Amino acid sequence: MGIQNFPAALQPIIQQGFLEREFEEALRSRLGYRAVADREEFAVGIGETLTKTRAGLKPSVTVPVVPSTNTNLDNGLTPQTFTVEQYTITINHYAATTDLNMVTSRVGIASQFLLNAATNGEQAARSLDELARNALFAAYFGGNTWVRTTLASPGPTVAVDDVRGFQTTFVNGVQTPVGGAASLTVTVGSDAYTLVGTSVDAVNVSTTPGGVSGTLTFSGTVAVVDATMLNTVTAATASAVVRPNARGNTTALQTGDTLTMAALLNAVALLRMNAVPEIDGVFNCYVDPVSARQLFADNDFRQLFTGATSANQAFRKGMINDFLGLRFIPTTEAYVQPHPTLAGAVVRRPIVCGKGALIEGDYAGLAAVDVAPKDSIISVVDGVAMVTREPIDRLQQIIAQSWYWIGGFCTPSDTTTSPTTIPTATNAAFKRAVMIEHIG
């Protein structure tokens, strides 16, 4: 479709590029979770799912070769191979549209046209940012939950609030459903048990954002003292979660467990223990306004800036950038939920991310010739396609303004990074971000 098919009042707007600039500005002005994602192009003609392989490291060699074994063709050496792991990214199609009736919107038509474009841009940006947030948190909630119902008597099956992180385990670098030979060590209460199966509830009653309630089945009997309601359940490969006063799970958080500088420093330490790369020299920390406000009330934080030349600037702006190894990024999309057991309390979740914590796959054929014909009005802005369709109704009055995105987000694992290759590394399957839970 060509510009000449649009009403004369709109042709100058499109020709001068006003519409595309309005859309682009809206995309750039919102949120931040998507910014932590490494962008990769998802090639055409390879299906909807792509599996990538990441090579690990070999253990260090600290023992010298024994002279007496340095013989024969192998010189007494045993061949070693590095380990690998895989992660999968799936693309989907997301879109929305709005109509503009030229007759009923005759007054101020140009402004309404641009307003629709800006609104579409904000919607697209917020949608992609929430998709990025959901993918990021889904992995870093994993393996951390609590007992939902106390066992009446010792038994192998325990009901938990969230089974994410317990449904699969890595076998030779491949995510494999838990069961049979693919078991997983899980600590319930104070004791470790071997998990052999996971099931999802028919009706989801999880209180965790994005959580999936269900049951865990172990190879042996679980003691009632361990499987008591609100007791902590943690997988051996669970993602790191930092809570004030070393609380074991979300339900254990109490009034006064606010965000502190110590919690942030612990998160940074965990990332550095796992040798997670920084993002332009620091780690990104996504915080909502209440979390940021609590930080300014922390005594350690205030003492840090006592007498410092940067103190006035720090407190005047109400937010700090690039200090303590962190870059603070305010967001209104952080997960906030009512406390599961403490009436009136709210749980907030800042998250500290390193490079590679999230991967975004953008479909390469987004605006290909067969998808976007030569005469079509399609602009691709930051990976999102904006489509403006001429009026094709009987009265030629209704213009459609739409956007669409074809892609997906995934969180890559780092199971090949272990204490064998990096002595300070943890056993978490996902190591490139650390979530903080606190009351706010």
Side-chain angles (χ1 to χ4, degrees):
M1 66 189 76
I3 293 175
Q4 65 275 9
N5 295 323
F6 281 80
L10 295 181
Q11 289 184 25
I13 297 175
I14 298 175
Q15 288 174 329
Q16 294 176 36
F18 291 161
L19 179 61
E20 182 174 342
R21 285 208 299 273
E22 190 75 13
F23 191 78
E24 187 169 2
E25 288 170 3
L27 278 176
R28 289 183 176 178
S29 65
R30 308 293 179 186
L31 313 177
Y33 288 109
R34 188 187 179 199
V36 80
D38 290 340
R39 305 279 282 271
E40 296 187 7
E41 193 172 76
F42 198 108
V44 298
I46 61 172
E48 297 178 349
T49 301
L50 177 65
T51 299
K52 293 202 170 190
T53 302
R54 174 182 288 169
L57 303 175
K58 295 199 299 182
S60 303
V61 176
T62 58
V63 178
V65 174
V66 179
S68 61
T69 64
N70 189 5
T71 59
N72 301 323
L73 294 178
D74 60 9
N75 298 105
L77 302 177
T78 302
Q80 293 178 324
T81 59
F82 55 83
T83 57
V84 298
E85 60 185 316
Q86 295 181 335
Y87 61 89
T88 301
I89 185 168
T90 302
I91 63 170
N92 290 288
H93 191 186
Y94 304 89
T97 189
T98 187
D99 289 336
L100 174 63
N101 191 300
M102 295 290 295
V103 175
T104 59
S105 301
R106 184 62 181 172
V107 178
I109 181 62
S111 297
Q112 182 65 41
F113 193 68
L114 293 177
L115 178 60
N116 286 349
T119 303
N120 278 350
E122 189 279 334
Q123 181 187 37
R126 179 161 34 85
S127 300
L128 266 64
D129 209 70
E130 289 186 8
L131 288 171
R133 178 202 64 186
N134 295 347
L136 180 65
F137 275 89
Y140 289 96
F141 271 119
N144 296 279
T145 190
W146 45 275
V147 178
R148 190 160 44 84
T149 306
T150 301
L151 285 181
S153 60
T157 303
V158 179
V160 296
D161 183 70
D162 190 2
V163 297
R164 291 177 300 175
F166 300 94
Q167 296 168 296
T168 61
T169 185
F170 284 85
V171 178
N172 296 324
V174 179
Q175 275 193 312
T176 306
V178 169
S183 60
L184 178 64
T185 300
V186 174
T187 300
V188 182
S190 302
D191 297 300
Y193 299 89
T194 301
L195 181 68
V196 295
T198 306
S199 63
V200 175
D201 290 342
V203 178
N204 185 15
V205 293
S206 175
T207 61
T208 305
V212 180
S213 63
T215 57
L216 306 180
T217 302
F218 299 92
S219 61
T221 300
V222 180
V224 173
V225 67
D226 287 328
T228 298
M229 184 177 178
L230 305 186
N231 275 3
T232 301
V233 180
T234 309
T237 56
S239 302
V241 179
V242 174
R243 302 181 184 92
N245 301 310
R247 306 297 186 189
N249 64 69
T250 306
T251 65
L253 290 170
Q254 301 294 319
T255 302
D257 289 341
T258 56
L259 181 62
T260 63
M261 191 173 74
L264 295 171
L265 291 174
N266 288 340
V268 171
L270 283 167
L271 292 176
R272 287 177 174 164
M273 285 169 61
N274 287 311
V276 176
E278 298 168 337
I279 303 172
D280 296 329
V282 292
F283 298 114
N284 282 2
C285 180
Y286 296 92
V287 293
D288 69 29
V290 173
S291 295
R293 171 65 187 88
Q294 287 186 356
L295 184 59
F296 278 89
D298 179 58
N299 289 331
D300 289 343
F301 180 88
R302 289 191 291 187
Q303 185 176 1
L304 177 69
F305 286 93
T306 300
T309 57
S310 58
N312 291 336
Q313 179 182 3
F315 282 85
R316 183 172 65 250
K317 290 184 176 180
M319 182 53 61
I320 307 298
N321 288 325
D322 303 355
F323 90 109
L324 301 178
L326 293 170
R327 175 185 301 111
F328 285 84
I329 301 175
T331 177
T332 55
E333 289 295 319
Y335 276 130
V336 178
Q337 71 166 106
H339 193 287
T341 61
L342 197 60
V346 174
V347 179
R348 299 182 181 274
R349 294 183 173 91
I351 189 166
V352 182
C353 303
K355 187 173 179 57
L358 194 63
I359 292 178
E360 174 184 336
D362 293 311
Y363 181 55
L366 188 69
V369 175
D370 54 342
V371 177
K374 183 178 180 181
D375 291 334
S376 60
I377 307 299
I378 296 181
S379 299
V380 178
V381 182
D382 199 17
V384 180
M386 180 188 68
V387 184
T388 307
R389 191 195 69 190
E390 65 178 341
I392 58 174
D393 57 300
R394 288 183 174 84
L395 300 179
Q396 285 198 305
Q397 295 176 354
I398 301 174
I399 292 169
Q401 295 172 260
S402 314
W403 67 266
Y404 70 90
W405 178 69
I406 303 175
F409 294 91
C410 79
T411 309
S413 60
D414 281 286
T415 59
T416 58
T417 301
S418 68
T420 304
T421 55
I422 298 178
T424 59
T426 67
N427 289 319
F430 299 92
K431 297 180 171 69
R432 297 183 183 237
V434 176
M435 183 169 60
I436 301 172
E437 289 186 342
H438 69 92
I439 295 295

